[in-house]
Amino acid sequence: MSGLQCLATENIWFDKHRYDEAEKHFYEGANGPVTQHQQQSSSSGAGEQELVSRMKSLELENQTLHKVVEEMRAALQKLESRVFVLEKSPAAAPCAQVAPVQAASVKQVKVENGDDDDLDLFGSDEEDEEAERIKQERLEAYAAKKAKKPALIAKSSILLDVKPWDDETDMAKLEECVRSVQMDGLLWGASKLVPVGYGIKKLQINCVVEDDKVGTDILEEEITKFEDFVQSVDVAAFNKI
């Protein structure tokens, strides 16, 4: 069998390119040929979509940054307010003031035979004993000064009304009898005659007494002993001094 006969028996589509060309022309006639402008429009549309996507992403990042900046600004304002308040407020007093310590200087280190155990860095106990002695002397001096100070004596001012029997009583003699009452802690003061009525006058006399030594009961008892002149004794006023 020759080569042509073999090819004739084979099922080969020699005209396929013609049919492909015809199919192409058919679709171009229906949809129109794809031009270079359409290809550029398609590529530009894809680029715009990518650009829009990037812009949206940038806007989101910008909003996040704005939020962070606002938070930092608020925190800074709070901090500034607090610093302002602290600067205006009076400085707090220290919890404790340390008194100046009259500490003796550290004795010079004497090294004997190169032995560091003999170093006296803090001094001996003589300083503590001296400070204790001075403190005790000051306490004793304060106690002695306080003991010498006179104690406060409680005193009172008393105004007495001494009434006679009648208008014929000798008021000068009556006052003399009253002032004759003497005792420790009693000091007589000014006096005067005060009209009572019907020509009768009473003796009003002032005195200062020490509360621990003289009382109103003793005064009344002693004055009423002069029964020839004194009818009664009343306390008109009583004031602490």
Side-chain angles (χ1 to χ4, degrees):
M1 183 180 294
S2 63
L4 292 175
Q5 292 177 349
C6 291
L7 290 175
T9 58
E10 292 291 333
N11 189 12
I12 299 174
W13 193 4
F14 290 100
D15 296 335
K16 183 179 184 302
H17 66 281
R18 293 176 60 188
Y19 288 97
D20 291 338
E21 188 71 21
E23 184 178 6
K24 178 180 179 183
H25 286 300
F26 173 77
Y27 285 111
E28 287 180 354
N31 299 326
V34 179
T35 62
Q36 184 177 2
H37 178 70
Q38 291 177 345
Q39 293 177 356
Q40 292 177 355
S41 297
S42 177
S43 62
S44 63
E48 289 178 357
Q49 290 180 356
E50 183 180 0
L51 181 61
V52 170
S53 178
R54 292 185 63 184
M55 288 180 64
K56 289 182 178 180
S57 177
L58 290 175
E59 288 178 356
L60 183 60
E61 291 179 359
N62 190 21
Q63 292 178 358
T64 304
L65 289 175
H66 274 296
K67 185 177 180 180
V68 173
V69 170
E70 290 297 331
E71 292 177 353
M72 293 179 65
R73 186 176 298 172
L76 181 60
Q77 289 178 353
K78 290 181 180 179
L79 182 60
E80 289 177 350
S81 300
R82 187 173 180 183
V83 171
F84 178 79
V85 171
L86 291 175
E87 289 178 351
K88 291 297 182 182
S89 61
C95 296
Q97 296 181 351
V98 181
V101 181
Q102 297 179 351
S105 60
V106 180
K107 295 181 179 180
Q108 295 180 352
V109 180
K110 296 182 179 180
V111 180
E112 297 179 359
N113 299 327
D115 189 359
D116 293 339
D117 294 338
D118 295 335
L119 298 180
D120 187 5
L121 298 178
F122 301 101
S124 62
D125 294 336
E126 295 179 356
E127 297 173 1
D128 296 337
E129 294 177 357
E130 181 68 15
E132 186 66 24
R133 184 184 64 80
I134 294 174
K135 180 180 178 181
Q136 188 64 29
E137 289 179 355
R138 290 178 179 177
L139 289 174
E140 292 176 356
Y142 175 76
K145 182 178 179 181
K146 188 174 182 181
K148 292 179 181 179
K149 186 177 180 181
L152 182 62
I153 300 175
K155 296 181 179 181
S156 300
S157 175
I158 303 175
L159 183 64
L160 298 176
D161 282 345
V162 183
K163 296 177 182 179
W165 288 104
D166 50 32
D167 57 345
E168 295 181 356
T169 303
D170 188 353
M171 298 303 295
K173 186 65 176 178
L174 185 146
E175 181 177 355
E176 182 181 349
C177 293
V178 171
R179 290 185 180 274
S180 66
V181 176
Q182 298 292 329
M183 61 185 68
D184 187 21
L186 172 62
L187 179 63
W188 293 107
S191 64
K192 65 180 180 178
L193 296 177
V194 179
V196 177
Y198 303 101
I200 301 175
K201 296 180 180 180
K202 66 180 179 179
L203 175 66
Q204 197 169 71
I205 186 169
N206 184 47
C207 65
V208 176
V209 300
E210 295 182 13
D211 296 343
D212 295 337
K213 298 179 180 179
V214 182
T216 56
D217 295 338
I218 298 178
L219 285 175
E220 292 178 6
E221 182 180 353
E222 292 295 327
I223 293 174
T224 53
K225 287 181 179 180
F226 302 100
E227 55 186 13
D228 293 338
F229 300 94
V230 178
Q231 177 190 3
S232 64
V233 178
D234 298 321
V235 177
F238 187 96
N239 297 307
K240 291 287 186 180
I241 299 178

